[in-house]
Amino acid sequence: MLRVIIFCDICNPQGVRYIEQNRSVQRGDKGGRRITDDRAWSESSLEEALNEGWHHKDGRHICPRCQERHPK
């Protein structure tokens, strides 16, 4: 099985992923957001990420939080 990991091109352009440092889901944060530096990723297909609120345009992936922080 192929694992697909999508990284936010705004807050995580280096593709940093450390699962043990995720924010807690109970705090309302999406899985795949780091406590230490708030970098985001989604371990899912592009279709699933889009259903979770991610945005994909012009080859860039943008997490829901960055969409809120940087509206166009």
Side-chain angles (χ1 to χ4, degrees):
M1 179 177 187
L2 180 66
R3 293 173 64 184
V4 177
I5 302 171
I6 299 169
F7 299 97
C8 180
D9 287 311
I10 293 177
C11 69
N12 195 3
Q14 297 87 9
V16 176
R17 176 181 168 267
Y18 294 111
I19 294 174
E20 65 275 5
Q21 295 182 359
N22 276 3
R23 287 192 183 264
S24 170
V25 175
Q26 291 127 3
R27 291 183 52 187
D29 294 315
K30 297 276 187 189
R33 184 167 294 280
R34 286 177 27 135
I35 294 170
T36 54
D37 58 15
D38 217 27
R39 296 178 189 195
W41 74 88
S42 177
E43 187 171 339
S44 63
S45 68
L46 179 57
E47 182 177 311
E48 290 170 328
L50 294 173
N51 288 334
E52 294 173 358
W54 282 67
H55 182 74
H56 180 250
K57 185 176 181 185
D58 300 327
R60 294 183 57 182
H61 301 98
I62 304 172
C63 71
R65 173 123 357 126
C66 285
Q67 291 176 60
E68 292 172 9
R69 290 179 179 168
H70 307 280
K72 290 185 177 183

